[in-house]
Amino acid sequence: MDITFDHVSFTYQAGTPFAGDGLKDISTTIKGGDYTAIIGHTGSGKSTLLQHLNALLKPTSGTVTIGDREITPETNNKNLKPLRQKVGMVFQFAENQLFEQTVERDIAFGPMNFGVPEKDAKALAAQMVKLVGLPDDILQQSPFDLSGGQMRRVAIAGVLAMQPEILVLDEPTAGLDPAGRLEMMTMFKKLHDEQGLTIVLVTHQMDDVADYADRVLVMEHGALVRQGTPREIFADPDWLRQKQLGLPKTTAFAERLQKLGFTFDQMPLTASELADDLMPQIGGGDRG
Amino acid sequence: MANAIDISHLKYSYPEATKPALNDVSFVVPAGEWWAIIGHNGSGKSTLAKNINGLLAPESGSVTVAGMPLTEQTVWDIRAKVGIVFQNPDNQFVGATVADDVAFGLENRAVPRDEMLTRVHDALVAVNMQDFATREPARLSGGQKQRVAIAGIVAQRPDIIILDEATSMLDPAGRLEIIDLIKQLRQQQSLTVLSITHDIDEAAGADHVLLLDDGQVKEIGTPAEIFQHGEALLQLGLDVPYPEKLKNALAKRGVHMPAGYLDEEGLAKALWTLHSTM
Ligand SMILES: Nc1ncnc2c1ncn2[C@@H]1O[C@H](COP(=O)(O)OP(=O)(O)OP(=O)(O)O)[C@@H](O)[C@H]1O
Ligand SMILES: Nc1ncnc2c1ncn2[C@@H]1O[C@H](COP(=O)(O)OP(=O)(O)OP(=O)(O)O)[C@@H](O)[C@H]1O
Ligand SMILES: [Mg+2]
Ligand SMILES: [Mg+2]
């Protein structure tokens, strides 16, 4: 299922004195099955763009096409349920969405809302809790009596339980410990590789962009200013710095080595790529 | 100099919890130091922050802040000295506009109105949110919310600032800006910083790192001491520093760099030495 933006603009509080630009004339296609990363500085419009992927926000002008569903400024809120089931959304500060009395009921709520029988929904809850690295006994606890990172995991489990085709993730690992971040990113990657889920990830972690994404969209002041593969995007460090963005740790370190006199045909993105490039330059080639 | 925070055998359990969230926690932070507090999700970091300013009351043990033992009598004096930026900014906002919100903590402190306006303005400029002063906090982007939450504490000019993952949603440049801002404040006024973080680069800049594990202090040391644990750091809730990752990748290819913790500059130099002696 592809998602296409055709000249999409969005204005917050349109028609009031507080009106402000959210998106400006965005045209792009997110292909079904792709792993797309969206990067951009604070306030550049990433979360606004994501909320167009399941019609939580509707364009002020232009058209968003999600599979066979067209969303225009005139689209009414009826019949959006099938769309909301297909497009699972983990919001930024996802823990704010928790509301049920127990973790189990919170996770089961989504599937039950889409017609899954209670018994099956509870089984899904137990399965998803495990998938996000939480212990079973958490199921009967209140989601509000958890640490920040534990709440985030519960919120992610709730979206996975809806078994969406498209998984939209807004900074899903902020606040997770590094082991948890790695587990979660590996789990998303597995869902992408093995079950063909389309993934759209907003992140400030350039290492995650380099490690997982096929395509990158760069946002600035509500506009889409560049799109390409991670290698294309990270080939231009000065441009990224202008946009307040960083580089993957490896690419930044390779830049430092370049200044010392090391040479690279193309900038490496991961530690193993860099290690390969260094071998012949540090006299290790014959041992590799 | 006096100690900013002195915690001794602190134990805290949430009502109905089966095990304590903090158990036998002791440490002393000298005034003016920057400490990073790290540990896995649920290890007790936020609970510790709330015990330091009396939002939660210890089951046993003692908390002393700026020389004052924390009691019902001193709790308000202590809160006047400690500013906490909480993990989730949405739980912190009270004002109808960004400026009101930043002013709120000052109204409570009986700061005169003129000075209040100056401080609110200065704090918003410091976090680069002056253009948003009249906006509703709920209508900001995630990173903008975090900046406003930080401004609210900066305006209060506390002696001790506790940042609970306060920059987790900021872009890379924004994160550095905020860390620089706190560093500047430390030069202008005496300021003790406790930064709860999962960001290894931030922890690397601290004077000391305190590692919590299941409610207990696992280790206290300088960043170099803590980072020596290499791959084991991931189990303890911290990322492996980048130089360690690259060293591991090279080791897999048969090239062994010096043991012990090297920062990026150290590793770059060591690699250049190998290159030059080829
Ligand atoms: N509900 C809202 N009402 C009015 N303006 C809003 C609202 N939400 C966001 N904005 C504004 O729209 C712009 C884009 O915000 P958005 O949340 O999409 O940014 P973002 O790229 O996700 O940023 P961040 O990395 O900080 O989360 C910002 O300037 C923000 O202040
Ligand atoms: N309000 C609460 N009621 C009951 N238990 C709680 C409450 N808040 C936290 N806990 C539990 O106390 C322990 C410590 O939680 P705390 O929030 O201090 O962790 P943390 O180190 O800040 O984690 P994170 O990195 O996820 O924010 C966890 O096991 C958590 O489940
Ligand atoms: Mg956002
Ligand atoms: Mg916490």
Side-chain angles (χ1 to χ4, degrees):
Chain A
M1 189 160 82
D2 294 352
I3 300 180
T4 302
F5 282 67
D6 185 18
H7 297 287
V8 171
S9 294
F10 178 78
T11 309
Y12 279 106
Q13 297 174 281
T16 76
F18 306 106
D21 277 342
L23 296 178
K24 288 186 251 178
D25 196 24
I26 307 266
S27 294
T28 188
T29 296
I30 294 171
K31 282 233 174 61
D34 264 9
Y35 195 133
T36 304
I38 304 180
I39 60 177
H41 63 73
T42 294
S44 58
K46 304 179 298 294
S47 300
T48 307
L49 179 77
L50 289 195
Q51 290 171 70
H52 282 76
L53 299 178
N54 72 350
L56 262 178
L57 295 179
K58 276 165 263 168
T60 309
S61 65
T63 308
V64 182
T65 311
I66 308 160
D68 50 16
R69 230 7 242 277
E70 270 199 3
I71 310 290
T72 65
E74 290 76 35
T75 303
N76 67 24
N77 283 332
K78 279 189 222 143
N79 304 323
L80 289 175
K81 219 169 170 181
L83 181 65
R84 301 265 161 86
Q85 183 184 11
K86 281 186 194 137
V87 184
M89 173 101 54
V90 175
F91 290 94
Q92 199 169 13
F93 301 113
E95 50 280 14
N96 293 350
Q97 248 78 40
L98 302 173
F99 71 102
E100 278 281 6
Q101 280 160 15
T102 66
V103 167
E104 181 181 58
R105 287 173 58 169
D106 211 294
I107 301 174
F109 176 85
M112 281 167 65
N113 190 32
F114 292 120
V116 174
E118 181 169 348
K119 196 167 117 288
D120 299 344
K122 285 189 168 167
L124 268 173
Q127 191 188 331
M128 294 307 156
V129 149
K130 202 168 283 152
L131 200 60
V132 297
L134 291 170
D136 294 344
D137 58 10
I138 218 163
L139 282 167
Q140 298 315 323
Q141 285 184 36
S142 158
F144 302 103
D145 290 353
L146 300 177
S147 80
Q150 291 165 338
M151 285 169 137
R152 173 65 55 81
R153 291 171 199 242
V154 171
I156 293 174
V159 173
L160 293 175
M162 300 201 288
Q163 302 180 296
E165 281 175 41
I166 300 179
L167 190 55
V168 180
L169 304 160
D170 199 347
E171 305 258 12
T173 63
L176 292 191
D177 58 47
R181 197 182 303 155
L182 186 63
E183 276 165 32
M184 217 62 80
M185 292 308 296
T186 311
M187 186 252 293
F188 297 142
K189 176 76 174 158
K190 249 177 97 177
L191 290 173
H192 172 258
D193 290 352
E194 292 173 9
Q195 298 178 30
L197 257 74
T198 307
I199 300 207
V200 184
L201 169 76
V202 166
T203 184
H204 291 305
Q205 308 281 335
M206 299 303 146
D207 284 356
D208 287 344
V209 177
D211 289 343
Y212 304 107
D214 313 316
R215 255 183 99 233
V216 188
L217 308 182
V218 187
M219 299 287 297
E220 183 181 38
H221 302 307
L224 177 58
V225 290
R226 200 171 267 194
Q227 39 188 324
T229 63
R231 196 170 298 288
E232 286 160 1
I233 298 294
F234 292 127
D236 196 350
D238 291 332
W239 183 83
L240 282 165
R241 271 189 287 266
Q242 264 174 36
K243 305 281 172 249
Q244 297 220 26
L245 297 169
L247 292 171
K249 289 209 169 91
T250 290
T251 316
F253 188 65
E255 260 199 315
R256 186 195 273 265
L257 294 178
Q258 251 178 347
K259 291 194 181 110
L260 288 175
F262 284 96
T263 55
F264 303 99
D265 292 338
Q266 59 177 11
M267 290 309 270
L269 299 184
T270 62
S272 57
E273 278 180 25
L274 175 57
D276 286 340
D277 290 348
L278 285 176
M279 291 304 282
Q281 302 191 56
I282 54 177
D286 49 341
R287 282 174 283 172
Chain B
M1 218 195 261
N3 291 324
I5 296 169
D6 187 336
I7 289 182
S8 175
H9 304 293
L10 170 63
K11 182 175 182 188
Y12 180 83
S13 307
Y14 284 99
E16 294 172 45
T18 47
K19 59 176 200 263
L22 293 173
N23 200 358
D24 201 20
V25 169
S26 300
F27 64 96
V28 175
V29 182
E33 288 204 353
W34 182 310
W35 281 44
I37 305 203
I38 63 175
H40 62 76
N41 288 136
S43 57
K45 303 179 297 296
S46 300
T47 306
L48 177 61
K50 290 175 192 158
N51 271 274
I52 292 175
N53 81 342
L55 278 176
L56 298 175
E59 196 175 322
S60 59
S62 67
V63 174
T64 305
V65 178
M68 291 181 284
L70 176 62
T71 63
E72 272 174 41
Q73 284 73 45
T74 59
V75 67
W76 292 103
D77 291 331
I78 286 178
R79 282 194 201 159
K81 290 191 181 297
V82 183
I84 304 189
V85 183
F86 291 98
Q87 199 164 354
N88 188 335
D90 288 317
N91 298 342
Q92 190 161 341
F93 293 133
V94 285
T97 67
V98 164
D100 283 356
D101 198 82
V102 174
F104 181 77
L106 300 179
E107 282 165 7
N108 279 346
R109 278 160 205 241
V111 175
R113 187 170 163 79
D114 282 352
E115 187 186 340
M116 189 170 92
L117 293 177
T118 321
R119 282 213 214 171
V120 168
H121 176 77
D122 291 352
L124 285 175
V125 170
V127 299
N128 205 5
M129 286 296 290
Q130 65 275 26
D131 296 345
F132 294 80
T134 58
R135 283 273 283 274
E136 248 177 272
R139 292 182 168 278
L140 296 173
S141 81
Q144 290 167 344
K145 284 179 183 171
Q146 284 195 324
R147 284 173 180 263
V148 171
I150 292 164
I153 300 304
V154 165
Q156 293 176 25
R157 303 198 184 141
D159 296 336
I160 300 168
I161 194 163
I162 303 181
L163 304 168
D164 195 349
E165 293 177 49
T167 62
S168 61
M169 298 281 178
L170 293 187
D171 56 59
R175 202 176 269 215
L176 290 178
E177 265 170 49
I178 296 295
I179 293 174
D180 282 346
L181 167 66
I182 308 285
K183 282 186 185 152
Q184 270 175 33
L185 295 178
R186 272 175 98 199
Q187 281 165 359
Q188 293 159 13
Q189 65 195 69
S190 157
L191 180 66
T192 306
V193 180
L194 297 196
S195 175
I196 297 173
T197 184
H198 294 299
D199 179 4
I200 180 111
D201 296 323
E202 198 193 318
D207 298 313
H208 282 93
V209 178
L210 182 148
L211 175 59
L212 274 181
D213 188 26
D214 289 339
Q216 293 186 299
V217 176
K218 180 96 177 182
E219 201 170 330
I220 295 175
T222 61
E225 283 162 359
I226 302 279
F227 295 167
Q228 272 171 13
H229 297 302
E231 296 266 274
L233 285 167
L234 208 53
Q235 263 54 59
L236 297 171
L238 196 61
D239 213 347
V240 179
Y242 181 73
E244 288 297 314
K245 285 188 188 161
L246 184 58
K247 275 165 69 178
N248 290 336
L250 288 167
K252 279 193 196 132
R253 291 160 177 79
V255 175
H256 296 280
M257 304 302 292
Y261 172 67
L262 279 180
D263 62 13
E264 292 200 3
E265 193 180 342
L267 181 59
K269 280 193 182 136
L271 287 167
W272 187 243
T273 308
L274 277 182
H275 178 85
S276 310
T277 54
M278 239 173 87

